[in-house]
Amino acid sequence: MESNMDLLHSNGVLIIQHLQRDYRAYQDFLNFMSHVGDPRNIFSIYFPLWFQLNQVVGTKMIWVAVIGDWFNLIFKWILFGHRPYWWVQETMIYPNQSSPCLEQFPITCETGPGSPSGHAMGSSCVWYIMVTAALSYTVRWKDKSAVTLHRLTWSFLWSIFWIIQISVCISRVFIATHFPHQVVLGVFAGILVAEAFEHTPAIQTASLRMYIKTNLFLFLFALGFYLSLKLLDIDLLWSVPKAKKWCANPDWINIDTTPFAGLVRNLGALFGLGLGINSEMFITSCKGKNSCKISFRILCIAASLATLQLYNFVKIPTHTEYLFYILSFCKSAAMPLTVVALVPYCVHSLMRTTEKKLN
């Protein structure tokens, strides 16, 4: 079994070398696509856009992102997948210490296990939700010309979907942070999670208590799994020392890429969504008469995107790990709360004040 995995890894290294040698001219584009696949974009870009256009899709997007990333964490802990940039330094399959030279980049040195790819999984699940949501509007068309248009739209959107997924996968392999089989596994795992939530309507009516219960279950299960294996002398954070040892530049190591950092970030986002949807501000603004107006939605999208970009300037201190996790949870919770409740309520109040002055 070990020799088969070594063969898979060594073939993957050959592919990485080929990409880094022959696709050097596309380095900027590939780095950009790696950023496109970053799961954090779901909360700061895709969710603000879709929630104001369609609250059902926006809500589903957060649930899919959080549950998908949670499964990704559990799979990574189970599969113990190596990353190329450290595997080539430690493997014994290359004779006379002639290990291949893989170039590293500022976004290469992720600290968690490599399989399945979180970027590929996050990208596929959220784009699957967006494509199926867009197609749901065209599937209702009944006349013959509309059916033809629906088929063309179907082909176009799914082509865009696969172009983006393939580009994200190639970018993650190019920067030597994943082997090819890890990104392929991530894509199909993300699609499965997204498809499962197509048949889970209960999330649309979930109470705050349900959000809290879900958060507690996800956290306690992950923590319990981690502690149980630690009692068996299995260290699930084995990948962190390897990343610190073999990363070409220590400044490229980021605590934000550790397994528990992603867990805390996602739990914060889910809690913030539950808090926002079950708040009076959301009911007043997004369920009121202004919510159907195009101007209200456009203002909410613009204000949400602008406000969330300001959150990027909030730097969380990393010198104390537990403090980092607590502040990361609070920051992540504030983002969907801002999109769902704070911004719509402010826009609603502004429009109501303007209407009163006009009258």
Side-chain angles (χ1 to χ4, degrees):
M1 184 65 182
E2 185 68 19
S3 60
N4 289 338
M5 189 56 69
D6 281 341
L7 181 61
L8 190 63
H9 285 159
S10 60
N11 287 335
V13 168
L14 292 176
I15 294 173
I16 295 170
Q17 288 181 303
H18 168 70
L19 289 174
Q20 291 187 346
R21 182 181 64 250
D22 297 343
Y23 290 83
R24 173 68 56 191
Y26 303 100
Q27 177 180 332
D28 291 338
F29 170 75
L30 292 172
N31 285 335
F32 169 75
M33 290 309 300
S34 190
H35 286 294
V36 168
D38 193 331
R40 287 170 289 195
N41 289 333
I42 298 171
F43 308 115
S44 61
I45 299 176
Y46 304 135
F47 171 67
L49 282 170
W50 274 96
F51 187 82
Q52 306 302 342
L53 296 174
N54 188 317
Q55 292 170 11
V56 172
V57 176
T59 301
K60 188 192 301 180
M61 189 176 290
I62 292 290
W63 276 89
V64 166
V66 171
I67 301 300
D69 209 49
W70 183 83
F71 273 116
N72 182 264
L73 172 65
I74 301 300
F75 287 150
K76 282 182 174 179
W77 279 348
I78 293 173
L79 296 176
F80 287 86
H82 290 274
R83 292 186 185 272
Y85 74 92
W86 76 58
W87 181 83
V88 294
Q89 304 291 342
E90 298 190 341
T91 182
M92 303 299 292
I93 69 169
Y94 297 107
N96 303 323
Q97 297 181 337
S98 59
S99 58
C101 180
L102 298 182
E103 184 177 354
Q104 296 182 26
F105 302 87
I107 56 176
T108 294
C109 301
E110 299 212 3
T111 57
S115 187
S117 166
H119 280 63
M121 191 168 175
S123 176
S124 66
C125 73
V126 72
W127 278 94
Y128 187 92
I129 292 294
M130 289 192 289
V131 169
T132 53
L135 289 175
S136 68
Y137 290 103
T138 63
V139 76
R140 303 165 191 162
W141 300 340
K142 299 297 183 182
D143 58 275
K144 192 172 182 179
S145 60
V147 170
T148 302
L149 182 59
H150 167 72
R151 289 173 179 171
L152 290 173
T153 305
W154 187 94
S155 300
F156 173 75
L157 290 179
W158 283 117
S159 297
I160 294 295
F161 172 86
W162 285 111
I163 289 171
I164 291 174
Q165 304 321 309
I166 292 171
S167 298
V168 169
C169 289
I170 291 175
S171 72
R172 301 303 287 171
V173 174
F174 175 84
I175 63 174
T177 199
H178 284 295
F179 290 103
H181 70 276
Q182 295 173 342
V183 293
V184 172
L185 180 60
V187 167
F188 288 103
I191 291 173
L192 287 175
V193 172
E195 179 59 27
F197 274 89
E198 292 290 327
H199 311 285
T200 314
I203 60 174
Q204 302 298 335
T205 56
S207 63
L208 180 58
R209 177 175 292 186
M210 179 58 68
Y211 276 91
I212 294 174
K213 285 182 177 179
T214 303
N215 256 15
L216 287 174
F217 171 79
L218 296 177
F219 176 73
L220 293 176
F221 185 95
L223 182 62
F225 188 72
Y226 169 77
L227 294 176
S228 297
L229 291 185
K230 193 171 185 179
L231 289 174
L232 298 174
D233 204 27
I234 300 175
D235 183 14
L236 292 179
L237 300 181
W238 60 274
S239 59
V240 178
K242 291 182 181 293
K244 291 180 177 179
K245 181 179 180 180
W246 297 114
C247 184
N249 187 338
D251 293 335
W252 295 347
I253 297 290
N254 192 340
I255 191 176
D256 199 33
T257 65
T258 59
F260 277 111
L263 175 65
V264 169
R265 182 173 60 245
N266 287 312
L267 295 182
L270 188 63
F271 176 73
L273 176 65
L275 199 61
I277 283 181
N278 290 280
S279 68
E280 286 297 324
M281 287 189 291
F282 170 76
I283 295 172
T284 301
S285 56
C286 293
K287 297 295 183 181
K289 62 177 183 178
N290 283 330
S291 63
C292 297
K293 296 179 179 178
I294 299 297
S295 57
F296 173 81
R297 296 187 178 186
I298 292 176
L299 284 172
C300 284
I301 290 173
S304 295
L305 289 172
T307 305
L308 291 186
Q309 298 315 305
L310 297 178
Y311 280 100
N312 293 330
F313 294 101
V314 179
K315 301 301 180 182
I316 300 176
T318 58
H319 57 275
T320 305
E321 193 169 359
Y322 292 111
L323 178 62
F324 171 82
Y325 290 147
I326 293 171
L327 294 179
S328 180
F329 178 90
C330 294
K331 179 182 176 180
S332 298
M335 294 176 73
L337 182 62
T338 298
V339 174
V340 172
L342 296 178
V343 166
Y345 184 78
C346 291
V347 172
H348 169 77
S349 300
L350 180 64
M351 292 181 69
R352 187 174 59 181
T353 303
T354 304
E355 289 172 358
K356 285 182 179 180
K357 288 182 179 179
L358 294 176
N359 294 331

